[in-house]
């Protein structure tokens, strides 16, 4: 029973992993110390195995992070979902392990074998050193943006990500640091793509609009110049005597 401690996940570890792409897979088969209520004014905890992950209708707060994921725990042969916030960071107490053994024996349920525990220990260790694939990075970025964990302009999103990274480093959360590094890289990539798109699309469009405006202005100026020249010509060219006579019906006409 003491070996169950090797595959126990703390609330802090679950919170650090809750948004990881491997979360649902790696937590199954691990154990937690979960609070189930109080007795005589003291908190009561049980040894529970994680058998699945479900989604709550509304998000809830763990410690520093909000999530909708819940752990489906098996306790005394029954299964029910628990919020991660109910999981303890402390080790199993001796009386809690004895209670677990008693319940398992009464229900004639099999205990974890040494091989199963060793395999789960190896799986948990691998998760701590997880190397992200490009597909996983893309999904994390999309999820973070969809969940509005980073909002606003590119510069603001990057600033928020750097602040989150610093906090994760302070907590010693290497997995979260790796996730944020991937997020920052994707933010930078998208910013570069937007700049490239602006250079190839927006600038030519603006140039075309400028050229069109110049052409229209030149045409207008040319029309105005022609009108001005026509007016000037009408004012400056004197009329001949014959033209004046034709245009003036009261003018004296020469007779023969």
């Amino acid at each position: 029973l003491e070996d169950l401690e090797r595959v126990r996940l703390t609330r802090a570890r679950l919170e650090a992993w809750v948004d990881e792409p491997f979360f649902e897979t790696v937590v199954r088969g691990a154990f937690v110390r979960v609070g189930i209520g109080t007795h005589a004014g003291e908190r009561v905890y049980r040894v529970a195995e994680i058998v699945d992950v479900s989604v709550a209708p509304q998000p809830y707060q763990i410690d520093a992070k909000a999530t909708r994921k819940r752990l489906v725990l098996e306790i005394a042969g029954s299964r029910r979902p628990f919020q991660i916030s109910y999981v303890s960071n402390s080790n199993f107490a001796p009386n809690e392990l004895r209670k677990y053994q008693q319940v398992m024996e009464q229900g004639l349920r099999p205990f974890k074998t040494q091989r199963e525990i060793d395999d789960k220990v190896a799986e948990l260790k691998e998760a701590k050193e997880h190397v992200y694939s490009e597909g996983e990075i893309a999904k994390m970025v999309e999820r973070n943006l969809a969940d509005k964990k980073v909002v606003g302009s590119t510069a603001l999103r990057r600033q928020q990500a750097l602040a989150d990274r610093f906090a994760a480093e302070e907590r010693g959360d290497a997995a979260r640091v790796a996730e944020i590094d991937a997020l920052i890289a994707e933010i930078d990539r998208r910013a570069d793509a937007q700049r490239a798109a602006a250079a190839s699309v927006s600038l030519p469009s603006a140039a075309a609009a400028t050229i069109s405006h110049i052409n229209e202005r030149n045409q207008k100026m040319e029309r105005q110049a022609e009108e001005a020249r026509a007016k000037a010509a009408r004012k400056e060219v004197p009329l001949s005597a014959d033209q004046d006579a034709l245009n003036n019906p009261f003018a004296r006409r020469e007779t023969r």
Side-chain angles (χ1 to χ4, degrees):
L1 288 177
E2 288 75 11
D3 279 343
L4 291 181
E5 189 64 45
R6 299 171 59 203
V7 293
R8 182 182 63 84
L9 293 175
T10 63
R11 183 178 68 254
R13 173 57 61 186
L14 290 166
E15 182 177 30
W17 280 354
V18 71
D19 291 326
E20 296 295 334
F22 54 77
F23 180 78
E24 283 81 354
T25 301
V26 77
V27 299
R28 291 189 184 97
F31 284 75
V32 293
R33 180 176 185 254
V34 63
I36 61 171
T38 59
H39 178 70
E42 294 187 1
R43 292 277 292 171
V44 177
Y45 293 91
R46 288 287 183 265
V47 177
E49 180 181 359
I50 304 173
V51 294
D52 203 356
V53 177
S54 65
V55 179
Q58 299 294 331
Y60 66 91
Q61 198 73 21
I62 303 176
D63 283 326
K65 186 181 294 185
T67 186
R68 292 178 57 198
K69 294 181 182 179
R70 297 184 297 186
L71 305 176
V72 179
L73 303 180
E74 183 170 287
I75 305 174
S78 63
R79 299 182 178 187
R80 55 167 290 197
F82 282 83
Q83 294 183 0
I84 298 174
S85 55
Y86 286 90
V87 174
S88 171
N89 282 323
S90 302
N91 295 343
F92 294 129
N95 65 306
E96 294 163 1
L97 290 172
R98 287 195 297 270
K99 180 66 175 179
Y100 173 75
Q101 180 179 13
Q102 177 185 354
V103 170
M104 293 293 285
E105 289 176 347
Q106 289 177 347
L108 301 177
R109 305 181 64 82
F111 292 94
K112 293 291 183 182
T113 66
Q114 190 65 50
R115 175 64 180 273
E116 288 174 326
I117 290 177
D118 290 341
D119 288 346
K120 177 52 72 173
V121 169
E123 188 179 356
L124 294 174
K125 182 180 179 181
E126 183 179 349
K128 293 177 182 179
E129 303 167 354
H130 182 74
V131 178
Y132 299 92
S133 67
E134 291 185 4
E136 289 173 336
I137 291 173
K139 288 181 180 179
M140 285 190 295
V141 171
E142 292 298 332
R143 182 184 64 244
N144 287 338
L145 293 176
D147 291 345
K148 297 182 180 179
K149 292 178 182 176
V150 286
V151 295
S153 67
T154 298
L156 179 58
R157 292 201 301 267
R158 200 176 195 284
Q159 183 179 357
Q160 289 176 327
L162 288 172
D164 289 344
R165 188 186 191 284
F166 178 77
E169 273 189 331
E170 289 292 303
R171 298 194 305 269
D173 189 347
R176 179 61 177 161
V177 169
E179 179 183 353
I180 295 173
D181 283 343
L183 175 60
I184 292 172
E186 179 64 13
I187 289 173
D188 291 343
R189 185 191 69 77
R190 290 188 175 194
D192 291 341
Q194 289 174 353
R195 283 191 290 268
S200 62
V201 177
S202 298
L203 291 182
S205 298
T210 301
I211 292 171
S212 177
H213 173 70
I214 291 173
N215 288 336
E216 290 178 0
R217 184 188 64 186
N218 289 344
Q219 291 171 1
K220 182 178 181 180
M221 291 175 64
E222 184 64 26
R223 288 194 301 270
Q224 290 174 343
E226 289 180 358
E227 291 174 359
R229 285 194 295 268
K231 288 180 180 179
R234 286 195 295 271
K235 289 180 180 179
E236 294 175 2
V237 178
L239 294 176
S240 65
D242 291 341
Q243 288 173 324
D244 183 60
L246 290 172
N247 293 334
N248 185 0
F250 301 102
R252 185 185 298 273
R253 289 178 171 80
E254 183 178 352
T255 60
R256 292 181 183 181

